[in-house]
Amino acid sequence: FLGFMSTSSFADSNHTFSIDGMANLFENKLSIDGQIIMTADEYKGIYGNISYYPSGLFSGWVDYYYYDKGLNIDELGYLWRDDYTQTKLGLKFQTMESWNIIRNASIMLEGDMEENTSGLDLGKSIELNYDIQFDNFWGLRGSLYKIMDYYDDRKIIQDYDRNEFGPHIFIPEITGSHINITTDRHQSLWASISLSLASNSRDDLEKAQFTELTYKPNPSSNFSILYDHYDLNKKYHWLESFWEDKDGQYHHIFTSLHRKIDVLTFRSIVNINRQLSLQGYLEIYSNYDRYSNYTEYLQATNEYTDSSNYVNGWSPNWAGQPLYTTSTDSVDLEISFVDPNFDLQFHPKYTDFRSIIVIKWNYMKGSNLYFVYSNNKAVDGHNFNKINQLGDFLTFNHYEPWVETLRDQSIMVKIDYW
C-alpha cells in the first residue's frame, strides 16, 4: 500500500505533505510500515516499523521516530513534542499450547533509546514484561524495568512568550517493578490487585497499589469497589519558575515532595426489570502534598543550592524578603508568594467527594427517560486523609485562611423518543 496526503491550515499557513506506505511479505509474516512528513518550511518527521510475526514461539519488531526541532502540525493534527528521536526494539516469546497448569503465557523484552536532535540523552531503558494465564483462569502479569541516567529537556514548562524551555535537568538511574494478580473473572466474585515500586540512585521512592473487588450475583446486577493508593518521596521536584526583571533571568525553584493520594470508588448497576435500571457511582479522592527544603536550580553549575539567596531573600536585590511566606498580612503578600503548602493552586491538601445516581426507564421500544442526580463537594486547603474523617469532611463549613469549600448539586432529566 502507498498513500499520499496533504493538509493546509490558513490559520498559520502551515502546509504539510505526507507519504506513507506498508508492505506485507512472506505470507504476512514480515511487515514494513512507515511515514514521512514534510512541512512547507522544510521541517520533517519520520516513522518506520519492521515487524516479524511468524506462526511460532517468538516475534520481534523495531520502531523508529524522528521529529525535527520546530516541527509543528498542531493546527490540524497532534504531535506530543518536536526535537526528538526514538528507537524501540522488542522481542516476544509466547506459548502456543497449554503446558501443565498454564493455559497461555508470554514474555516480552523491550529496549528503548531516546535523544533530542542535538544528541542529548533523553533516556535509555530496558523492560521485561510477563503475562501468564492459568488453567483456573487466574492471571499473573507484571514487569521489571531499568532507566539509565538521562536528562529531561522538558522538565520545566515552556515560556511561550520567549518560546523556550528551561535548563536540561539530570535524572538519576531508575529501577522499578510492577505485578498484577487477577482471579477468575468468570466467577460471581472476583478480585484484582496491583503493586508498583520504583526508586532511583537519589533514594527517591514511588509506591502504588490498586485493588478491585467485583461481585456479580446475577446477570442483571454488578457491584464493584476499587481502592487506589499512591505514595511518593522525592528530593528534587520542580515547583515553579520565576522571571525576575531585576536580574533579567529565570529562577527555577525545586522542593522536596512527599505526596500521598487515596481514591476509593464504588460502582453499581442493577437492572430491576427489562424496562427499569439503576446505576450508582461514588468516589472519595484525597490528595496530600508536603513541600519542604526549597532550593534553586542553577543552570550554570547544574546544582541545587540548599542555601539559595533567592529563596531565602538574603541577597540585597530582594531586600531581605523570603520568596515564600505563611503570613496572611497583605503587606507580606505584596513582596512574597504564598507558601506552596498553603497555596490553593497547588492543591496541597485536597479532598473531593462525588456521587451520581442514574435511573433509566425504557418507557417504550427504543425510547428512554433518564433521571440523573449528582452531588459534589470539595475542600481545598484542609487535610482529610483518614476514612474516619469522612463525617467531618461532609459537615465541614468553616472559614479558615487558605481554605476553600466548593459544592454543587444538579438534577437532570433527559428524554428520547424513537
Side-chain angles (χ1 to χ4, degrees):
F1 303 89
L2 187 64
F4 172 79
M5 179 172 66
S6 175
T7 60
S8 296
S9 166
F10 293 107
D12 61 356
S13 300
N14 192 355
H15 310 297
T16 303
F17 307 93
S18 164
I19 297 177
D20 66 288
M22 181 175 66
N24 294 318
L25 309 172
F26 306 113
E27 298 179 346
N28 293 328
K29 293 179 181 179
L30 181 66
S31 174
I32 302 174
D33 188 9
Q35 182 181 21
I36 299 175
I37 66 171
M38 180 75 73
T39 63
D41 44 13
E42 298 187 351
Y43 293 115
K44 65 179 179 294
I46 300 172
Y47 162 72
N49 166 267
I50 299 177
S51 304
Y52 182 57
Y53 289 98
S55 57
L57 294 175
F58 75 95
S59 55
W61 60 92
V62 178
D63 291 320
Y64 176 75
Y65 303 84
Y66 176 90
Y67 308 129
D68 266 339
K69 185 176 183 179
L71 178 65
N72 180 16
I73 60 171
D74 287 350
E75 198 65 46
L76 290 175
Y78 171 72
L79 185 66
W80 74 284
R81 65 163 292 170
D82 63 344
D83 189 19
Y84 179 75
T85 69
Q86 181 185 37
T87 303
K88 298 173 66 176
L89 299 92
L91 186 63
K92 182 178 181 180
F93 296 89
Q94 58 191 10
T95 59
M96 305 304 294
E97 299 178 357
S98 59
W99 179 66
N100 286 339
I101 62 172
I102 296 177
R103 180 179 298 272
N104 58 68
S106 67
I107 298 176
M108 184 168 63
L109 183 66
E110 285 188 298
D112 179 271
M113 182 176 69
E114 301 171 65
E115 295 180 342
N116 66 16
T117 56
S118 300
L120 181 70
D121 185 4
L122 301 181
K124 296 181 179 69
S125 66
I126 185 169
E127 182 172 5
L128 178 69
N129 295 279
Y130 56 90
D131 188 350
I132 304 171
Q133 187 181 58
F134 299 95
D135 278 341
N136 60 1
F137 291 103
W138 281 49
L140 173 66
R141 64 183 59 166
S143 64
L144 302 168
Y145 64 89
K146 180 182 284 291
I147 306 173
M148 317 307 174
D149 294 345
Y150 69 99
Y151 288 87
D152 193 331
D153 62 346
R154 303 290 171 96
K155 184 74 174 178
I156 296 176
I157 61 174
Q158 183 176 10
D159 183 337
Y160 292 100
D161 294 332
R162 295 176 176 81
N163 193 29
E164 62 182 23
F165 289 90
H168 305 155
I169 304 299
F170 174 76
I171 308 295
E173 182 178 275
I174 301 170
T175 303
S177 61
H178 170 77
I179 186 171
N180 171 259
I181 301 173
T182 305
T183 65
D184 183 4
R185 294 176 181 263
H186 300 93
Q187 301 296 320
S188 59
L189 181 66
W190 65 271
S192 177
I193 183 170
S194 299
L195 302 172
S196 300
L197 180 69
S199 61
N200 63 18
S201 54
R202 194 181 277 156
D203 294 329
D204 295 341
L205 183 63
E206 182 180 44
K207 297 185 294 183
Q209 67 184 60
F210 176 79
T211 306
E212 179 179 2
L213 183 65
T214 297
Y215 178 52
K216 191 175 182 180
N218 52 61
S220 61
S221 301
N222 191 301
F223 305 90
S224 62
I225 178 172
L226 303 90
Y227 174 61
D228 199 351
H229 176 77
Y230 176 81
D231 257 310
L232 174 65
N233 282 292
K234 190 174 181 181
K235 186 174 183 180
Y236 295 118
H237 169 78
W238 176 74
L239 188 64
E240 53 189 340
S241 297
F242 297 104
W243 174 267
E244 287 288 357
D245 292 327
K246 294 178 181 178
D247 58 6
Q249 64 181 5
Y250 264 110
H251 295 267
H252 306 292
I253 309 303
F254 284 72
T255 177
S256 296
L257 169 65
H258 171 68
R259 171 169 292 162
K260 180 180 178 182
I261 299 175
D262 291 283
V263 187
L264 185 63
T265 307
F266 299 89
R267 301 176 187 269
S268 64
I269 301 175
V270 178
N271 295 296
I272 299 172
N273 53 45
R274 291 180 179 273
Q275 286 76 41
L276 191 63
S277 68
L278 176 68
Q279 296 183 44
Y281 175 85
L282 187 150
E283 181 186 270
I284 305 169
Y285 173 92
S286 173
N287 178 83
Y288 173 63
D289 290 345
R290 185 174 73 248
Y291 303 101
S292 60
N293 302 322
Y294 304 112
T295 59
E296 182 182 3
Y297 180 82
L298 301 181
Q299 185 173 356
T301 58
N302 294 324
E303 293 178 344
Y304 301 90
T305 58
D306 292 330
S307 57
S308 169
N309 289 341
Y310 181 74
V311 172
N312 297 299
W314 294 338
S315 171
N317 290 338
W318 323 121
Q321 296 298 329
L323 181 64
Y324 296 118
T325 181
T326 59
S327 171
T328 58
D329 187 271
S330 59
V331 175
D332 293 333
L333 294 174
E334 282 289 328
I335 50 181
S336 298
F337 295 101
V338 178
D339 189 298
N341 288 290
F342 297 88
D343 193 334
L344 299 184
Q345 70 168 327
F346 291 105
H347 305 296
K349 297 179 280 290
Y350 181 84
T351 306
D352 183 273
F353 175 93
R354 59 188 59 222
S355 61
I356 302 174
I357 297 174
V358 180
I359 300 174
K360 177 185 174 183
W361 176 34
N362 180 226
Y363 65 90
M364 62 181 293
K365 187 175 181 180
S367 302
N368 301 288
L369 177 65
Y370 301 87
F371 296 92
V372 182
Y373 170 73
S374 67
N375 181 8
N376 302 332
K377 179 179 181 180
V379 177
D380 193 2
H382 195 286
N383 193 26
F384 299 95
N385 61 352
K386 296 179 180 178
I387 193 65
N388 60 4
Q389 294 180 302
L390 179 60
D392 297 335
F393 166 77
L394 294 175
T395 58
F396 183 86
N397 194 31
H398 311 308
Y399 172 79
E400 296 179 7
W402 319 123
V403 177
E404 194 172 56
T405 303
L406 309 116
R407 298 182 186 84
D408 75 75
Q409 297 184 69
S410 60
I411 298 175
M412 293 168 281
V413 179
K414 174 185 173 181
I415 186 170
D416 57 36
Y417 171 75
W418 183 261

